[in-house]
Amino acid sequence: MEHNTSPFKGKTGIKRISNAAGYSLAGLMAAYRGEAAFRQLVWANLVLIPLSFCFDLEPVEHALLVAVCLLSLIIELFNSAIEAVVDRISLERHPLSKNAKDMGSAAQMIAMLMIAVVWGIILIG
């Protein structure tokens, strides 16, 4: 029987969960150490998320304010991953590499706009 899975995917159960948690923490640490934009977003989130609880809002409104902030971190992780893969393949300038990096950047710009719009709508009405 042929398997179309990676040879690195063999763990199951608690061992798989433990390994996945370790990989996730390593990814977060790599992003924090190596990506200034990720660090800036972490610090912005450390301000914005607690700030969201200073307003008298419905629970769903608090959840939205927090969710859009966390979403920006997720998008920055994907953006950084795209950049790393593109650079791993080749440091040569290529239109497709530029497109990939620019699209990741555009995703982050939209996430930042989404933060501004959601916070504005909820706080200003």
Side-chain angles (χ1 to χ4, degrees), residues 34-114:
E35 299 292 335
F38 185 77
R39 282 192 301 278
Q40 291 167 347
L41 284 170
V42 166
W43 287 102
N45 274 270
L46 288 173
V47 171
L48 289 174
I49 291 172
L51 180 64
S52 74
F53 292 96
C54 293
F55 303 104
D56 184 29
L57 301 171
E58 295 296 319
V60 71
E61 291 172 317
H62 282 291
L64 281 171
L65 294 181
V66 171
V68 295
C69 290
L70 294 176
L71 183 60
S72 72
L73 288 174
I74 294 166
I75 291 171
E76 185 56 37
L77 287 168
F78 282 133
N79 183 33
S80 296
I82 289 166
E83 289 180 357
V85 169
V86 167
D87 290 345
R88 167 64 177 90
I89 292 168
S90 174
L91 294 176
E92 171 187 331
R93 290 189 184 267
H94 189 281
L96 293 176
S97 297
K98 181 180 182 336
N99 286 350
K101 289 183 172 191
D102 289 351
M103 288 176 201
S105 179
Q108 186 54 264
M109 181 187 70
I110 292 169
M112 299 304 287
L113 285 170
M114 188 169 60

